[in-house]
Amino acid sequence: MKGHSIRFKFFAAISAVALVFIGVLLLLNLFFYEDYYMLMRRGELRDAYQGMRGSYTGNVEDIAAVLDSYESRSAIRLSVVRADGTVLYSSAFSPDAARPEEDRPLQFHLPDFDRVEQQYRSYAILSSIAQSMDREFIAKHNYQFLNVSLWDNDQYLCLVGALDRNAGDCLFAYMPYAYIEQNSSLNLVFLLIAGGCALLICLVCGFFISRQFTRPLIAMAGVADRMSELDFSTQYQGGERDEIGQLGQSLNRLSAYLEQTIRELQESNDQLALEIKEKERVDNMRREFIVNVSHELKTPIALIQGYAEGLTAGVADDPEDRKFYCDTIADEADRMNKLVMQLLNLSKLELGAEQTYYEDIDLYALCRDAVEKTAVLCESRGLTVRYADTHVTIRTDGDLLEQVLMNYLSNAIRYTADGGRIEITAAYTENGMRLAIFNEGDGLPEDELPKIWEKFYRTDRARTREAGGTGIGLSLVRAIADTLHGSCGAENVEGGISFWFELPYFPERDAPA
């Protein structure tokens, strides 16, 4: 199952933090706000008392302005009351308006205050404060906090403080609990609304922030995925200058390093595969070579051994028989010698151990000498050998080129029927020189033409040893062509087959130094 993306996780983390933060605020408001608010209200009452006490000199008129200032900017009600209960000042009512029908000073020892009318609520509050206050505590600590209730269960937070040292004149400061609770409820509602809005803002900001911060990580993940598929064409394009940017650049360097390493490893593997393939080819050639050489040497060795044993046993008593036996042994030994020499020359050429000596060679003279060497064989079979009377000069190794010509000419003589025709031509080509030898005959099947250059390959396995060769000659020609930076081939033409050999004009340019 596919997991959530890093963008979702980042967004979820930001949202969770915002939700926890707002939840903590709500819990603090529910469990601690009221106590904190009460503490602050008490502080306001205490500040009001201390301000009044510092300004009071015994005359209410001296602090009237201060009293009005506190009352106008807070919900605190202030009263100045003497020790006998006379109200000198009250922000809630006029002392004259609160007097009973008897025209006498307002005092707190009036009987049965529970039955007073509504306009006397403030007077009742002051009366309750006066009855609950502890003058000894106030004389010792200067002020006292009280909670008072009226007949209708209205509660008030009050402060009674002495305005002089004798605690004669006192300041009564109070505020209703209903106001406190109302402010607490409004604060909770506002906090809920503000928290919801803050949460929504945090979610929106978290979405964009998570996308902004995770975009480079997602891009790097894409680069890493392509790298896992050995595709190093994609690079991280971010331009950040922080740790994420450094990570992206490190990923690019890693991609380049892996690409180079894998390329080098691939090249090494390809080279190793070629070497293994070449080794297998060489091993196969070696095995085939051993088998073919064994096959080629088996017959002459057997003949030499048989005729030698016959001579040793005295089978050939007649001088002519002994001469036949000795000639046969000599012919087979010569045949083996030629085979071994050809194999040695072929091995040297294939291994690049043959030293080449470049000189200007006149092909007309070379063809003339080759025809003269084979004249006896051609005359005995009635063969006609012609060569062009044109002087073509090429710079090459004369000995190797002579071997090519003699191999081609020997094959032509061997496979041309008695009374047949052989033609040798030499001409300049666009890139160099072309030597060709044509002999009359039936030609070769097209599928066998590429195979005749292989070692020990014979087109007719049924041919006798006298008619066939060793199977090395054409392989030697191909090796010489490679050594002289030329090419060779054979093609069926009208009336027979033509073997050709081409060399470039300046082979020394390509020759090893």
Side-chain angles (χ1 to χ4, degrees):
M1 181 179 179
K2 186 178 180 179
H4 293 297
S5 65
I6 187 172
R7 179 178 298 175
F8 175 81
K9 293 180 180 178
F10 198 91
F11 173 71
I14 294 177
S15 302
V17 171
L19 190 61
V20 170
F21 179 75
I22 294 174
V24 169
L25 288 180
L26 291 175
L27 291 176
L28 291 175
N29 184 80
L30 289 174
F31 293 101
F32 300 102
Y33 176 76
E34 187 173 350
D35 293 339
Y36 172 76
Y37 188 79
M38 290 295 295
L39 181 64
M40 296 300 295
R41 298 297 92 183
R42 287 184 174 221
E44 291 181 6
L45 294 175
R46 183 170 51 251
D47 292 341
Y49 161 68
Q50 291 176 349
M52 298 301 104
R53 186 181 184 188
S55 303
Y56 186 68
T57 58
N59 186 358
V60 176
E61 298 298 332
D62 296 338
I63 62 173
V66 180
L67 291 170
D68 291 339
S69 175
Y70 269 98
E71 292 173 357
S72 62
R73 53 189 172 89
S74 66
I76 302 175
R77 295 292 179 260
L78 302 174
S79 299
V80 178
V81 182
R82 287 183 175 177
D84 60 358
T86 302
V87 178
L88 300 179
Y89 172 86
S90 177
S91 61
F93 61 89
S94 173
D96 295 334
R99 294 175 184 271
E101 293 180 359
E102 299 84 358
D103 187 12
R104 52 194 178 93
L106 179 62
Q107 295 180 343
F108 293 119
H109 56 272
L110 293 177
D112 197 9
F113 286 101
D114 292 340
R115 295 194 302 268
V116 296
E117 295 182 2
Q118 187 65 31
Q119 63 267 27
Y120 293 110
R121 173 177 293 274
S122 297
Y123 182 79
I125 295 172
L126 298 180
S127 177
S128 299
I129 294 173
Q131 294 176 5
S132 302
M133 60 183 293
D134 186 346
R135 292 187 177 275
E136 293 182 0
F137 182 88
I138 294 173
K140 183 178 181 180
H141 297 92
N142 294 328
Y143 63 90
Q144 178 185 12
F145 286 104
L146 299 173
N147 293 324
V148 299
S149 299
L150 297 184
W151 58 87
D152 54 2
N153 294 324
D154 283 347
Q155 295 185 349
Y156 297 85
L157 174 64
C158 308
L159 179 142
V160 181
L163 293 175
D164 52 32
R165 294 183 179 180
N166 298 325
D169 295 345
C170 293
L171 176 69
F172 288 8
Y174 62 93
M175 62 176 59
Y177 269 101
Y179 175 78
I180 298 174
E181 293 175 354
Q182 182 181 13
N183 276 274
S184 179
S185 300
L186 290 175
N187 180 74
L188 178 60
V189 173
F190 175 77
L191 185 61
L192 289 174
I193 297 174
C197 295
L199 180 60
L200 181 61
I201 294 173
C202 288
L203 292 177
V204 174
C205 293
F207 173 77
F208 288 102
I209 292 174
S210 63
R211 187 173 64 175
Q212 181 67 24
F213 275 91
T214 58
R215 182 184 293 114
L217 298 179
I218 294 175
M220 282 186 278
V223 174
D225 288 339
R226 299 295 292 273
M227 290 171 57
S228 66
E229 298 174 358
L230 301 183
D231 181 5
F232 303 100
S233 60
T234 304
Q235 296 287 312
Y236 176 68
Q237 302 298 331
E240 299 86 357
R241 298 182 178 272
D242 52 10
E243 290 80 359
I244 293 180
Q246 295 176 2
L247 178 61
Q249 296 304 317
S250 299
L251 189 64
N252 289 340
R253 289 193 295 271
L254 176 61
S255 176
Y257 175 76
L258 287 177
E259 183 179 13
Q260 179 181 359
T261 303
I262 291 176
R263 185 187 304 112
E264 294 175 354
L265 182 60
Q266 184 66 39
E267 293 175 355
S268 300
N269 289 339
D270 293 342
Q271 181 66 26
L272 181 60
L274 292 176
E275 293 177 357
I276 292 174
K277 186 176 181 179
E278 181 64 18
K279 184 178 182 300
E280 292 177 350
R281 187 185 69 84
V282 172
D283 290 342
N284 292 333
M285 290 177 57
R286 185 181 294 111
R287 287 192 294 268
E288 183 180 357
F289 176 79
I290 293 173
V291 171
N292 290 328
V293 169
S294 300
H295 178 73
E296 292 294 330
L297 295 179
K298 179 176 62 175
T299 300
I301 290 174
L303 289 174
I304 292 173
Q305 183 180 6
Y307 282 103
E309 289 176 354
L311 289 174
T312 303
V315 174
D317 294 334
D318 187 2
E320 292 183 1
D321 292 338
R322 285 196 300 270
K323 183 178 182 304
F324 173 76
Y325 275 51
C326 290
D327 289 343
T328 301
I329 292 174
D331 290 342
E332 296 300 330
D334 183 63
R335 180 182 178 83
M336 286 193 299
N337 182 63
K338 290 181 179 178
L339 176 62
V340 171
M341 293 304 297
Q342 284 184 326
L343 290 174
L344 289 176
N345 290 336
L346 181 60
S347 298
K348 290 172 64 177
L349 289 169
E350 290 181 338
L351 294 174
E354 181 71 22
Q355 295 292 327
T356 55
Y357 301 94
Y358 289 91
E359 56 184 337
D360 292 332
I361 304 298
D362 184 359
L363 294 183
Y364 174 77
L366 186 67
C367 294
R368 182 191 60 197
D369 293 342
V371 172
E372 290 177 355
K373 290 179 182 179
T374 59
V376 176
L377 291 175
C378 294
E379 291 175 358
S380 65
R381 297 181 55 200
L383 302 178
T384 302
V385 181
R386 299 176 182 175
Y387 57 94
D389 190 9
T390 56
H391 291 274
V392 176
T393 303
I394 190 70
R395 186 171 181 79
T396 186
D397 188 295
D399 292 338
L400 294 180
L401 185 58
E402 182 182 7
Q403 290 187 48
V404 172
L405 179 58
M406 291 304 296
N407 270 289
Y408 278 173
L409 185 56
S410 298
N411 283 341
I413 294 172
R414 184 179 299 114
Y415 294 114
T416 303
D418 293 346
R421 177 173 53 91
I422 299 174
E423 292 182 359
I424 305 174
T425 59
Y428 290 117
T429 64
E430 182 179 354
N431 298 319
M433 178 279 301
R434 183 182 179 102
L435 175 67
I437 297 180
F438 165 81
N439 66 278
E440 290 182 334
D442 297 332
L444 291 173
E446 292 293 333
D447 59 341
E448 288 195 6
L449 289 178
K451 301 177 182 179
I452 61 177
W453 308 97
E454 299 176 2
K455 289 188 287 290
F456 301 107
Y457 183 81
R458 289 192 178 91
T459 59
D460 187 356
R461 298 294 182 178
R463 286 181 176 174
T464 63
R465 296 175 62 251
E466 289 76 11
T470 61
I472 299 297
L474 294 181
S475 299
L476 190 62
V477 170
R478 184 177 63 178
I480 293 174
D482 293 338
T483 301
L484 298 180
H485 306 280
S487 59
C488 58
E491 55 186 354
N492 292 314
V493 296
E494 184 178 357
I497 187 170
S498 176
F499 286 83
W500 55 266
F501 187 86
E502 290 187 352
L503 289 177
Y505 280 121
F506 304 104
E508 67 275 8
R509 293 180 180 177
D510 301 321

